[in-house]
Amino acid sequence: MKIALSLFLAAAIGYLLGSINSSIPVVKFFLGKDIRTLGSRNAGLTNTFRCAGKKCAAITLAGDLLKGVIAVALARAICGAIGAGLMPDNDTHYIGYITGFFAIIGHIFPVYYGFKGGKGVLVGVSVFIIVDPKVFCALLAIFIVILAITKYVSLGSIIATSFCPIATFLMSLIVDGYGLGRSALYMALSLPMAAIIIFMHRSNIQRLLSGTENKFSFKKSGMAK
């Protein structure tokens, strides 16, 4: 019963906080426009930077990082308090992955904004600040390297995301010293998170293959007409 309650709470907290898509109210407040009608029409950090400038992008970055961190921390605290853990040691680590997945769902399909949001990369990465900081640092490093080499934000996001389950397994098994079964469980829980983010980048993948994807540059920021 407690496990079922913890799953429900994790899903609800993740989705409701994940649905607070920072770029939509930020761009609306500063520019009076809907970010989903500008540029690539994606309510994410990159499109916000390109179409609304550095200030809006910085606020969006802080907001989307914060909501992922708060969602996971809140869900784990509540579920830990009611003793809804797995394994003999009452492990509540799994709650972070469940919350993170539904936070991504909320970001992509926000209930507050007509179920039309972003692609979930930023919130997906942010949950690992709480779930596993080592995985967060590894994914961030991969993203930065790919971005620096190729100048493609989407490619960096896709490659870093694809390494998430592998990084989760190796960090759990080798660094944290968890058993094979528990490490495999955490890897399995991270797979849906990675899969949906990569799926949401399918149009970017098509543009990358065709050579029409936009490269990132700090010089390209500014309000879209």
Side-chain angles (χ1 to χ4, degrees), residues 102-210:
F102 280 94
I104 293 171
I105 295 294
H107 185 82
I108 297 171
F109 306 109
V111 66
Y112 314 122
Y113 304 109
F115 303 99
K116 184 181 178 183
K119 296 182 179 178
V121 176
L122 194 56
V123 65
V125 172
S126 73
V127 302
F128 280 94
I129 296 175
I130 299 294
V131 173
D132 194 330
K134 299 180 295 299
V135 172
F136 169 79
C137 292
L139 299 182
L140 182 61
I142 293 171
F143 171 79
I144 291 173
V145 169
I146 299 301
L147 177 61
I149 293 173
T150 69
K151 300 297 187 296
Y152 288 121
V153 173
S154 57
L155 185 60
S157 299
I158 292 165
I159 293 178
T161 299
S162 67
F163 273 97
C164 180
I166 299 172
T168 297
F169 178 78
L170 293 178
M171 292 295 183
S172 297
L173 183 67
I174 299 173
V175 180
D176 295 329
Y178 292 133
L180 185 63
R182 190 177 299 197
S183 299
L185 170 64
Y186 296 155
M187 179 182 70
L189 290 173
S190 71
L191 276 170
M193 298 168 64
I196 193 168
I197 290 175
I198 293 174
F199 175 77
M200 291 303 297
H201 280 79
R202 59 195 184 278
S203 61
N204 300 89
I205 294 173
Q206 292 176 348
R207 289 194 296 270
L208 285 166
L209 293 173
S210 65

Side-chain angles (χ1 to χ4, degrees), residues 24-88:
I24 298 174
V26 167
V27 175
K28 187 69 174 178
F29 178 80
F30 285 103
L31 304 184
K33 296 186 177 183
D34 188 340
I35 186 62
R36 296 168 297 178
T37 66
L38 304 176
S40 66
R41 300 185 179 182
N42 176 54
L45 179 63
T46 303
N47 194 43
T48 300
F49 175 80
R50 285 173 175 157
C51 298
K54 296 177 182 178
K55 180 168 67 175
C56 289
I59 299 173
T60 296
L61 173 65
D64 283 349
L65 284 175
L66 191 60
K67 74 179 181 183
V69 169
I70 291 175
V72 173
L74 181 61
R76 288 183 64 176
I78 293 175
C79 293
I82 64 176
L86 294 174
M87 315 295 182

